[in-house]
Amino acid sequence: MGEVELSCLAYAKMYLHASQFPRCSVNGLLLSSSAAGGAVCITDCVPLLHTHLSLAPITQLALTQVDVWCSQTQQRIVGYYQANACASDSSPTPCALKIAEKIFEQCNNAVLLMIDGEKMFPGCRVPPIVMYERKDARWALKDKHTIMLRQWEETCSIVNQLFSSGDQALLVDFDSHLDDITKDWTNQKLNAKIMELVSPANGNV
Amino acid sequence: MRDKLRKWREENFRNSEQIVDVGEELINEHASKLGDDIWIIYEQVMIAALDCSRDDLAWSCLQELKRQFPDSHRVKRLAGMRLEALERYEDANKLYDSILQDDPTNTAARKRKISILRAQGKSSEAIRELNEYLEHYWECFLCSPFFLSLSFHSHSYAKAAFCLEELMMTNPHNHLYCEQYGEVKYTQGGLENLELARKYFAQALKLNNRNMRALFGLYMSASHVAASPKVSAKVKKDNVKYAAWAASQISRAYQMAGRGKKENKCSVKAVEEMLESMQITMS
């Protein structure tokens, strides 16, 4: 199918989310601020849960709220990501497939992204992600050559900088927001920090 | 420092990096002043060290414990945990099997064996082992958050519900169990389960009126019941009332949270619009 481009901002936040809760499964939504049609540009993500991913109410609540926020900010939900608690297992769980299906109903080039825990170490040469797309009524592995992560080395260095400055602790997911609703699940502060680090020459959001 | 460690132990916090920082200093500088407390501190620090991949520290704690308690099953279990951390699962299993040979009721060793299956991604085998154990020793296990997390992990909602019922009986003031039970019932779906979910969310709120998950849960379950074509007019009216109450509480909570804080204006706005749009669908 089509090409998928993953921005530094989206990648960095997913990575931070998985790193913040190493013993839990975590998930979140992938967003795009570009128009539908053509390549899918994942420009941002919203980290959702780190507890009880398979329970419905909070997932439904989060999906509704993110939907509302997207319409307020001209973004669309274009995919779903998940990192399993068991690092050696990067296969989609039933709940991952269910949520991805729901997203596919609204977005016909939706992607399902699984984070590969085993590749999450400093100096790893390949992005720790496995992507799936909807093909022939099932979710199939996407051809690696259609997935683009521009400025991969710069992205890695930005993630390292976030860890060394302690800014990774700024990340708020929806679960943490429910524990303390003064925390912002849209992560405006962290987004600003990351965008500062993204080089102006990059042009890519 | 001792008191910090004790607090974290009693409240079961898994803040391993902090425990290692505080514990290592305590052990290196002040061991002589700790008296008998030192053994439980060695255990706590060792487990935290495993969490932080500090095998050097874990090893030295283990040696001290082995020296003091050479035949202890509890120390053997810790040695097993270290092998698990090093992913030497076969060796760990051998150790746990030897504990179970001496003492077949040793819950800790059983739990570790099941945890190994889980770490290896074999959750259906883990559940099978658990079920076998439950046939003989169910009282100890059912009241167990460990069993609960395994049930969630394998999407066994009926088991999770059963486990939560036991946990609520033994911990009647714990609002989290009520709220989780509500979530499980909501997930199982169907009118009866939604009404039950609503009741348990309400119960959780009685125990802790700031539990936002319970508040949202109450709002969503009452809204769904009110919108169902199968309910009587009275039930519909009651649930509309419950949902409206929950919505006003949510609004109030977010307004208070939003006061003076520029950064969460986005999340506050999202909630307000969501509540408005759901009102429209309900009426």
Side-chain angles (χ1 to χ4, degrees):
Chain A
M1 274 204 175
E3 282 189 349
V4 174
E5 206 176 295
L6 187 58
S7 74
C8 172
L9 179 67
Y11 175 82
K13 279 160 68 179
M14 279 195 295
Y15 193 96
L16 294 187
H17 192 206
S19 312
Q20 210 177 62
F21 302 103
R23 297 147 202 137
C24 307
S25 294
V26 301
N27 67 4
L29 297 172
L30 303 171
L31 310 182
S32 176
S33 54
S34 25
V40 176
C41 294
I42 300 170
T43 49
D44 196 1
C45 72
V46 174
L48 291 185
L49 308 178
H50 57 268
T51 57
H52 309 149
L53 272 58
S54 58
L55 291 181
I58 303 302
T59 304
Q60 275 180 17
L61 175 69
L63 281 167
T64 313
Q65 284 209 29
V66 174
D67 218 7
V68 167
W69 183 60
C70 280
S71 51
Q72 291 169 349
T73 52
Q74 287 84 49
Q75 296 182 89
R76 319 172 281 131
I77 300 177
V78 296
Y80 169 85
Y81 75 83
Q82 183 168 307
N84 291 332
C86 179
S88 56
D89 174 20
S90 61
S91 51
T93 57
C95 98
L97 294 170
K98 220 174 179 179
I99 299 176
E101 268 310 304
K102 263 224 114 51
I103 297 173
F104 176 71
E105 282 169 17
Q106 306 292 327
C107 168
N108 63 5
N109 47 10
V111 292
L112 165 56
L113 194 158
M114 295 300 295
I115 295 180
D116 186 350
E118 288 201 313
K119 297 205 176 79
M120 280 180 72
F121 56 85
C124 181
R125 310 276 298 277
V126 289
I129 59 181
V130 182
M131 231 187 246
Y132 295 81
E133 62 185 354
R134 202 72 168 45
K135 222 176 188 176
D136 305 325
R138 47 181 270 281
W139 289 92
L141 269 172
K142 206 168 160 48
D143 177 3
K144 283 197 196 100
H145 298 105
T146 58
I147 304 167
M148 311 228 277
L149 250 153
R150 291 197 202 278
Q151 328 294 89
W152 166 238
E153 304 210 344
E154 196 198 357
T155 302
C156 285
S157 118
I158 288 174
V159 170
N160 289 335
Q161 284 180 66
L162 291 168
F163 275 109
S164 47
S165 60
D167 284 332
Q168 92 282 5
L170 289 174
L171 185 93
V172 174
D173 69 1
F174 199 78
D175 250 340
S176 312
H177 165 77
L178 288 176
D179 290 334
D180 174 1
I181 57 174
T182 60
K183 291 193 176 161
D184 170 33
W185 55 260
T186 68
N187 287 293
Q188 300 300 303
K189 227 181 181 176
L190 180 62
N191 283 2
K193 288 251 148 100
I194 295 175
M195 293 317 288
E196 256 173 45
L197 296 172
V198 171
S199 85
N202 188 10
N204 201 34
V205 165
Chain B
M1 284 200 284
R2 231 194 227 205
D3 294 329
K4 266 195 201 156
L5 286 177
R6 184 172 355 109
K7 175 166 190 264
W8 292 332
R9 221 165 35 236
E10 286 169 6
E11 302 195 0
N12 235 336
F13 282 176
R14 200 171 163 177
N15 50 338
S16 303
E17 282 108 353
Q18 284 180 294
I19 294 177
V20 162
D21 275 336
V22 173
E24 196 172 15
E25 198 186 312
L26 205 58
I27 293 171
N28 290 338
E29 325 265 310
H30 309 283
S32 48
K33 304 185 197 138
L34 295 171
D36 275 337
D37 268 359
I38 194 159
W39 309 115
I40 202 159
I41 289 175
Y42 272 131
E43 183 184 42
Q44 185 181 12
V45 173
M46 186 201 159
I47 295 176
L50 291 177
D51 240 0
C52 303
S53 298
R54 284 285 311 273
D55 191 49
D56 55 320
L57 181 58
W59 180 247
S60 52
C61 292
L62 186 60
Q63 294 317 299
E64 295 296 322
L65 287 166
K66 269 186 174 163
R67 209 173 303 151
Q68 182 71 10
F69 306 102
D71 296 312
S72 154
H73 278 166
R74 189 164 161 173
V75 174
K76 231 177 178 176
R77 176 197 130 219
L78 290 174
M81 284 173 80
R82 179 178 163 267
L83 291 170
E84 282 184 62
L86 297 169
E87 295 190 351
R88 288 168 51 187
Y89 296 125
E90 264 187 56
D91 292 334
N93 264 323
K94 282 197 191 122
L95 214 53
Y96 298 138
D97 284 334
S98 73
I99 298 178
L100 288 167
Q101 242 175 3
D102 278 344
D103 173 15
T105 65
N106 190 305
T107 320
R110 284 279 169 196
K111 273 195 197 171
R112 292 318 317 162
K113 285 185 62 99
I114 294 170
S115 300
I116 290 178
L117 287 169
R118 210 171 136 178
Q120 293 174 312
K122 300 177 182 163
S123 14
S124 36
E125 274 179 63
I127 287 266
R128 205 169 37 235
E129 288 277 325
L130 206 46
N131 282 331
E132 263 180 53
Y133 185 70
L134 282 179
E135 284 177 23
H136 305 292
Y137 304 106
W138 66 283
E139 286 129 351
C140 334
F141 239 67
L142 275 177
C143 306
S144 160
F146 174 73
F147 182 52
L148 183 63
S149 86
L150 202 53
S151 310
F152 282 140
H153 185 69
S154 53
H155 302 265
S156 314
Y157 301 122
K159 286 203 177 76
F162 194 32
C163 182
L164 280 163
E165 283 159 15
E166 295 291 321
L167 285 166
M168 285 192 290
M169 258 199 324
T170 49
N171 303 274
H173 300 294
N174 187 318
H175 62 105
L176 295 172
Y177 292 143
C178 283
E179 176 250 302
Q180 279 175 36
Y181 190 73
E183 288 195 53
V184 172
K185 286 294 151 191
Y186 184 106
T187 308
Q188 287 179 303
L191 187 57
E192 223 178 278
N193 282 329
L194 281 172
E195 289 192 282
L196 213 51
R198 192 207 67 230
K199 291 188 180 139
Y200 278 89
F201 286 132
Q203 178 62 13
L205 284 167
K206 264 202 207 131
L207 296 169
N208 177 352
N209 62 3
R210 290 151 99 197
N211 185 325
M212 287 309 293
R213 287 182 181 81
L215 202 46
F216 275 114
L218 176 59
Y219 175 71
M220 287 161 65
S221 45
S223 306
H224 282 302
V225 174
S228 165
K230 301 183 198 159
V231 299
S232 67
K234 172 159 193 332
V235 171
K236 184 183 169 95
K237 195 166 162 210
D238 287 342
N239 279 279
V240 167
K241 241 186 1 195
Y242 301 141
W245 177 83
S248 68
Q249 297 291 25
I250 293 170
S251 261
R252 210 168 69 168
Y254 272 87
Q255 270 162 29
M256 294 210 24
R259 246 182 238 158
K261 266 205 171 197
K262 225 181 1 178
E263 42 205 43
N264 60 7
K265 284 280 187 280
C266 299
S267 22
V268 172
K269 264 185 86 189
V271 167
E272 284 172 358
E273 229 191 83
M274 179 194 88
L275 291 175
E276 253 182 60
S277 70
M278 279 184 90
Q279 283 278 66
I280 296 169
T281 18
M282 248 173 36
S283 50

